[in-house]
Amino acid sequence: MKKIALFAITAFTAVSISAEAQKSNKKSMKKVLFVVTSNDKLGNTGEKTGFWSEEFAAPYYELLDQGVEITIASPLGGQPPIDPKSADPASATEDTKRFDADKVLQEKLKNTLKLSTVNQKDYDAVFYPGGHGPLWDLVQDRNSIALIESFYTHNKPVAFVCHAPAVLKNVKVNGEYLVKGKKITGFTNDEEEAVGLTKVVPFLLEDALASNGGIFSKGPNWQPYAVEDGLLITGQNPASSKLVADKLLKKLN
């Protein structure tokens, strides 16, 4: 009887320790909010846009594979639009192939949270993938502007890639543009010209951030380039997506 009792106590203790360990792991797991566009219109061209799949997929898997818990939000909630050009098989990468085959993620994307319902206190950082879509909605979205300001003032990293740094255009902290005096990058004027959309976009990202006092720098067109200035992390183009994620991971750890 004593042996049975001892075994029962030992088993109960082991289960209790395991449960506590699981709780502890859940508490220590880093949480990142991804914010994507709800806009699918490329200005007045009649063409479609949205978020760029590589700029979403590469950071998503880079963070997910390191145990980061990711929540996705958009201005309207529900299924966000994917830029059809980014889904072209000719532009496929290992990450976008994984993205296309990921049934769990596709279901998650169908049910993105409405941006107005999220709070920075529930997350350790925020990340914005690009694509042309954000230029027409997230740049002006009051919830997005307030959210970025809240993350930043609560000492949490804010990260953006390609066209996504454009959403910083109207973000202010203590009455000053967040980008003022900070090193920053994003989709360049040259790259916008190369894709033939300088007359379509509502403004040129490089010019807008520089005019707000950002210290804008860039690498060669289409090559990986990212800069970090305190809590602010920005990447130049789709090829910079994983580099931004790596910098964000280091901040989180």
Side-chain angles (χ1 to χ4, degrees), residues 2-17:
K2 285 182 180 179
K3 285 184 178 180
I4 293 172
L6 181 62
F7 176 79
I9 291 169
T10 303
F12 177 77
T13 302
V15 169
S16 298
I17 291 171

Side-chain angles (χ1 to χ4, degrees), residues 23 26 40 105-106 123 126 145 182 194 198 210 214:
K23 282 183 185 177
K26 195 148 191 179
D40 69 348
L105 176 54
Q106 298 307 324
Y123 308 96
V126 66
I145 292 166
K182 294 184 180 64
T198 54

Side-chain angles (χ1 to χ4, degrees), residues 188-195 206 218 221-222:
T188 66
N189 291 355
D190 287 344
E191 286 168 322
E192 200 69 79
E193 187 173 347
V195 297
E206 180 180 340
K218 53 192 172 184
N221 287 1
W222 318 118

Side-chain angles (χ1 to χ4, degrees), residues 32-36 56 60 70-74 80 105 108-109 111-114 118:
V32 174
L33 178 69
F34 272 43
V35 179
V36 294
F56 178 98
Y60 183 88
I70 299 167
T71 299
I72 312 168
S74 61
L105 176 54
K108 199 173 176 180
L109 275 168
N111 298 284
T112 67
L113 299 179
K114 200 167 184 178
V118 301

Side-chain angles (χ1 to χ4, degrees), residues 11-12 14 17 36 41 43 50 58 60 63 77 81 87 96 98 105 113 150 161 167 171 177 180 190 199 208 211 241:
F12 177 77
I17 291 171
V36 294
K41 294 179 177 63
Y60 183 88
L63 295 172
T96 60
R98 183 177 172 184
L105 176 54
L113 299 179
S150 186
V161 69
V167 306
V171 178
Y177 288 112
K180 186 178 180 180
D190 287 344
K199 303 298 184 185
S211 69
S241 303

